[in-house]
Amino acid sequence: MPQDMIAARPSPQWLVSLVNTRYPTTMASVTVQLPADLADQIHTPDLSREVTLVMAMNLFREQVVSLGRAAELCSLPLADFMDLCAQHGIPVLRYTAEDLDEERATMIRLGF
C-alpha cells in the first residue's frame, strides 16, 4: 500500500469519535451493591470499565443492542470489540440454520 494512503487512514479513535457524534449518548451512573466479603475480593483497577465491557457483551449476546452499538458503549473500535467477544466465546456473526436453508434455496433457484 502506498505510504500516502497509510498516512491518510483515520485512526481508530477518530472512528470512535465519529460514532459517538452519530449516536449521542447521555450516560447514567448506576450503583451496584455487593456483599462486603465479595467486594473485598475484587481487585480490578477500573471496575467501572470492566462492568461496562461485560454489560455491553451481554447486551449484544442477548440481541438487545447491535454489534456496533455494543462497541460504542465500550468506546472501542468495532474490530477490538469483536476480538473481545471472541475471547469470551461470544459469536459475532448470527448465521442461523434458517439462514443456511434460505441460502441453499436461493442457490438452487439460481442454478448453482
Side-chain angles (χ1 to χ4, degrees), residues 13 21 53 56 69 104:
Q13 190 56 43
T21 57
L53 294 173
R69 180 71 170 128
R104 283 184 184 148

Side-chain angles (χ1 to χ4, degrees), residues 5-6 8-9 19 21 24-25 27 29 32-33 40 46 49 57 61 63 68 71 77 82 86-87 96-97 103 105 108:
M5 288 185 75
I6 294 171
R9 199 180 265 178
V19 168
T21 57
T25 303
M27 302 302 270
S29 293
V32 177
Q33 295 185 343
D40 291 340
D46 191 354
R49 175 83 175 139
M57 285 188 291
R61 179 182 25 234
Q63 299 183 6
M82 291 171 74
Q87 292 168 10
T96 65
E103 293 286 335
I108 290 168

Side-chain angles (χ1 to χ4, degrees), residues 68-90:
R69 180 71 170 128
E72 175 191 340
L73 292 171
C74 299
S75 298
L76 288 175
L78 185 61
D80 290 353
F81 185 76
M82 291 171 74
D83 289 343
L84 182 67
C85 286
Q87 292 168 10
H88 288 86
I90 301 169

Side-chain angles (χ1 to χ4, degrees), residues 12-25:
Q13 190 56 43
W14 179 85
L15 294 173
V16 170
S17 298
L18 177 64
V19 168
N20 288 339
T21 57
R22 184 173 173 201
Y23 302 106
T25 303

